[in-house]
Amino acid sequence: MSDTLRPALTRLRTPALVAAGTAGVCAAVVWADPTTPGGVIPPCPTYTIFGIYCPGCGLSRMLYSLVHLDIQAALHYNALGVVAVAIAVVAFAAWTVGRARGTTGPQWGRSRWAPRIALVTIALWFVVRNIPVAPFTALRI
């Protein structure tokens, strides 16, 4: 192996491990098939106990649908989750390219506003998907 290729491969070790872990999680969700009632993945405790949809309700079914490339079903199960996955894929790609080049790109996660924006977005999603009138009832699973 050439001396110029070795550092790039070393820098890509961590992104490769993250990708492998992500593939493992996706494989586990496909194996568990959360769309089948009474499966391995338990129902949401928030919905079971309180009868309200938490921001994470439907995430495993959303991921199952995304793995099967059923975007419409994924959006039905958890639209915010689909947006989060899209952002994570773009961020992962930018991070991987930056690691391969030996540079760092923009890191919005280090912004002092990033946690606030994420928290407000999740809180709004929690409220909006529990509003009991149309069109908000379409956000329920």
Side-chain angles (χ1 to χ4, degrees):
M1 184 179 319
S2 72
D3 289 337
T4 58
L5 186 59
R6 187 179 315 261
L9 290 177
T10 302
R11 288 190 302 265
L12 290 176
R13 183 179 308 139
T14 304
L17 289 172
V18 171
T22 303
V25 168
C26 289
V29 168
V30 168
W31 171 81
D33 188 6
T35 60
T36 303
V40 178
I41 298 175
C44 175
T46 302
Y47 184 76
T48 303
I49 295 170
F50 301 112
I52 58 175
Y53 296 97
C54 75
C57 278
L59 281 178
S60 58
R61 288 175 278 181
M62 179 270 309
L63 185 57
Y64 181 86
S65 298
L66 281 180
V67 169
H68 287 90
L69 302 177
D70 189 352
I71 307 299
Q72 186 175 3
L75 287 168
H76 170 72
Y77 288 129
N78 195 316
L80 183 62
V82 173
V83 172
V85 167
I87 290 170
V89 167
V90 169
F92 177 77
W95 176 59
T96 303
V97 168
R99 295 276 300 196
R101 293 180 180 165
T103 62
T104 60
Q107 298 175 352
W108 71 272
R110 294 193 182 186
S111 164
R112 69 179 217 175
W113 291 102
R116 292 177 179 100
I117 291 169
L119 185 61
V120 167
T121 303
I122 292 168
L124 284 173
W125 176 244
F126 180 60
V127 170
V128 166
R129 81 184 309 196
N130 284 293
I131 296 175
V133 295
F136 304 109
T137 53
L139 300 173
R140 296 179 176 189
I141 49 175

